[in-house]
Amino acid sequence: MSDIKPWQIILIIAAIVVLAFTGWRMLNSNSIDSPNGHMTVDVITGQLYLVQKGKAKGIMYPAKHPDTGDRTLYPVNEIDDSGKWELHPRTGDSIPRDIRDRSSALGSGLSIKILDEKPIVYVIKK
């Protein structure tokens, strides 16, 4: 113990104070709001679905439709609150030809015609 110098003691005390202050700030800070789900669309009908994972570990897109079991729920984004929607580029480009042929909602490119603006909430695993 005699090898400890005064500046080392000050440094240890400063480290403890900084650690205590950081812990206090973390415990008293407001929590960050996480998204409550992902907006998707059934590319066959154009119906919006708010997909929530619930207790599932993750969501794989395209997601399964709750009624048919087909993987037809693709992520969608609203364009500047204009009421127009488009598919996410990463998944929208990979829609199979047979689904495109059956679809009444798919437009040119990534645009999609929405059936109802109010989404149906779908929880994958409750």
Side-chain angles (χ1 to χ4, degrees):
M1 255 347 232
S2 64
D3 293 340
I4 297 178
K5 299 185 177 34
W7 66 270
Q8 292 173 327
I9 294 173
I10 294 171
L11 187 64
I12 291 171
I13 291 172
I16 291 172
V17 169
V18 167
L19 184 64
F21 178 73
T22 303
W24 175 75
R25 287 284 309 255
M26 287 178 64
L27 292 175
N28 290 331
S29 66
N30 294 333
S31 63
I32 298 172
D33 293 334
S34 61
N36 59 357
H38 299 103
M39 192 61 70
T40 61
V41 65
D42 179 9
V43 293
I44 302 295
T45 63
Q47 176 62 50
L48 286 175
Y49 284 85
L50 180 61
V51 175
Q52 298 175 341
K53 70 177 191 159
K55 292 184 180 178
K57 293 188 182 209
I59 302 172
M60 187 172 81
Y61 289 111
K64 285 185 180 179
H65 190 281
D67 297 330
T68 65
D70 296 334
R71 291 197 172 271
T72 58
L73 298 181
Y74 285 80
V76 68
N77 299 320
E78 187 174 12
I79 304 170
D80 301 326
D81 296 328
S82 63
K84 294 182 181 177
W85 295 80
E86 70 178 11
L87 294 167
H88 191 275
R90 183 175 291 180
T91 55
D93 291 335
S94 64
I95 298 175
R97 176 59 51 198
D98 64 324
I99 291 178
R100 284 195 176 275
D101 293 340
R102 291 187 307 166
S103 175
S104 61
L106 286 173
S108 62
L110 297 174
S111 66
I112 188 155
K113 187 173 29 173
I114 299 301
L115 181 65
D116 185 11
E117 289 290 322
K118 186 174 181 189
I120 297 171
V121 178
Y122 169 49
V123 180
I124 293 179
K125 188 174 182 181
K126 295 180 182 183

